[in-house]
């Protein structure tokens, strides 16, 4: 398997707090090259595990050509990271591989998952449909985060994106920059808020 990367994030080597009470498994999914690995790397407080492989000419015709010219590696298994949202709540993050040939791994990754983030690149919105479909199939709650790339000149409003993805009104939809820690953290907070909201609704209807 490929090289486990990479540069240490600033807050690495942070031990798990003694006060941590609950750990939630969260999965980051979405199409090829939307920034899943970038998101897990930017928010993780431990050295993230990444299973990146370099894309070579041998993969031409099999691997998708990246829209982002800076991208020359692809996830072949999954990313793993950890973030403490507060004193008691820890999220364990799993970034899924985006290429179609690895999608068979997704259903296994979803096992035991409390919630998911679907990352969207507006230049290739249709790449998100499979992720949304699988999450709905597994009844896994999710939020959708739009990772705005520099080449995204045709500015789509969140409402336009909601319509294009046929997202029901109750699914949170937000903008983010996967490269920015605080932005990635906001996405995760939106997901946890959504999970709390759903849990409260279930209690009320029980
Ligand atoms: N301009 C810009 N580049 C970004 C952004 N997010 C990620 N990138 C870059 O886009 C490329 C793709 O990021 P990855 O994190 O590898 O994407 P991925 O979804 O994990 O890709 P796969 O695992 O191969 O599906 C990398 O070169 C990132 O540096 C962003 O918000 N803006
Ligand atoms: Mg990746």
């Amino acid at each position: 398997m490929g090289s486990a990367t990479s540069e240490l994030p600033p807050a690495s080597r942070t031990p798990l707090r003694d006060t941590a009470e609950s750990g939630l498994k969260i999965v980051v999914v979405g199409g090829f090259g939307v920034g899943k690995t970038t998101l897990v790397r930017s928010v993780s407080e431990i050295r993230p595990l990444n299973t990146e492989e370099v894309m070579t000419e041998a993969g031409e015709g099999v691997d998708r050509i990246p829209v982002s010219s800076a991208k020359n590696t692809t996830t072949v298994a999954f990313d793993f990271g950890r973030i403490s949202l507060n004193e008691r709540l820890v999220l364990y993050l799993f970034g899924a591989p985006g290429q179609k040939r690895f999608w068979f791994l997704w259903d296994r990754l979803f096992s035991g998952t409390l919630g998911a983030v679907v990352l969207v690149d507006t230049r290739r919105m249709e790449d998100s449909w499979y992720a949304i479909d699988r999450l709905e199939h597994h009844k896994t709650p999710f939020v959708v985060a739009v990772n705005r790339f520099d080449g995204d000149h045709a500015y789509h409003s969140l409402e336009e994106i909601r319509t294009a993805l046929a997202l029901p009104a109750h699914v949170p939809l937000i903008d983010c920059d996967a490269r920015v820690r605080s932005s990635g953290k906001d996405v995760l907070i939106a997901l946890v808020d959504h999970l709390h909201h759903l849990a409260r609704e279930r209690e009320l209807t029980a």
Side-chain angles (χ1 to χ4, degrees), residues 7-14 26 28 35-50 79-85 90-95 117 119 176-189:
E7 331 82 55
L8 276 169
S12 63
R13 300 212 179 98
T14 311
I26 302 296
V28 182
K36 301 175 294 295
T37 298
T38 305
L39 177 76
V40 173
R41 272 186 195 164
S42 63
V43 299
S44 184
E45 64 201 5
I46 55 169
R47 181 200 287 266
L49 167 75
N50 303 122
D79 312 301
F80 176 74
R82 188 191 81 196
I83 179 170
S84 305
L85 276 195
V90 180
L91 304 186
Y92 294 99
L93 300 173
F94 289 79
V117 172
L119 266 189
C176 80
D177 185 332
R179 299 164 299 178
V180 178
R181 181 177 163 83
S182 60
S183 179
K185 196 170 173 182
D186 286 345
V187 172
L188 298 172
I189 289 170

Side-chain angles (χ1 to χ4, degrees), residues 107-126:
D107 287 334
R108 287 275 177 87
L109 264 187
F110 289 165
S111 161
T113 295
L114 275 194
V117 172
V118 177
L119 266 189
V120 172
D121 177 349
T122 54
R123 298 166 301 176
R124 293 172 300 150
M125 216 106 74
E126 65 283 0

Side-chain angles (χ1 to χ4, degrees), residues 11-187:
S12 63
R13 300 212 179 98
T14 311
L16 187 57
R17 292 181 194 180
D18 293 343
T19 50
E21 282 172 6
S22 35
L24 307 184
K25 178 181 171 185
I26 302 296
V27 171
V28 182
V29 280
F32 172 55
V34 291
K36 301 175 294 295
T37 298
T38 305
L39 177 76
V40 173
R41 272 186 195 164
S42 63
V43 299
S44 184
E45 64 201 5
I46 55 169
R47 181 200 287 266
L49 167 75
N50 303 122
T51 55
E52 296 294 280
E53 282 289 355
V54 174
M55 291 184 287
T56 64
E57 281 177 17
E60 249 178 61
V62 180
D63 289 339
R64 288 274 301 272
I65 306 297
V67 173
S68 154
S69 56
K71 183 169 165 69
N72 57 7
T73 62
T74 189
T75 305
V76 296
F78 59 85
D79 312 301
F80 176 74
R82 188 191 81 196
I83 179 170
S84 305
L85 276 195
N86 57 36
E87 299 283 305
R88 288 175 296 133
L89 183 59
V90 180
L91 304 186
Y92 294 99
L93 300 173
F94 289 79
Q99 296 211 55
K100 233 179 211 161
R101 61 196 171 107
F102 301 122
W103 283 358
F104 68 93
L105 292 169
W106 286 20
D107 287 334
R108 287 275 177 87
L109 264 187
F110 289 165
S111 161
T113 295
L114 275 194
V117 172
V118 177
L119 266 189
V120 172
D121 177 349
T122 54
R123 298 166 301 176
R124 293 172 300 150
M125 216 106 74
E126 65 283 0
D127 286 7
S128 320
W129 290 335
Y130 181 76
I132 292 172
D133 178 72
R134 293 321 296 160
L135 291 168
E136 285 176 344
H137 173 83
H138 283 271
K139 299 192 168 35
T140 305
F142 62 93
V143 297
V144 177
V146 182
N147 193 24
R148 301 281 186 185
F149 282 80
D150 308 332
D152 179 14
H153 297 305
Y155 185 81
H156 297 84
S157 71
L158 288 179
E159 268 328 294
E160 284 170 330
I161 295 169
R162 184 178 289 282
T163 306
L165 295 176
L167 268 192
H170 69 267
V171 176
L173 174 65
I174 48 179
D175 272 314
C176 80
D177 185 332
R179 299 164 299 178
V180 178
R181 181 177 163 83
S182 60
S183 179
K185 196 170 173 182
D186 286 345
V187 172

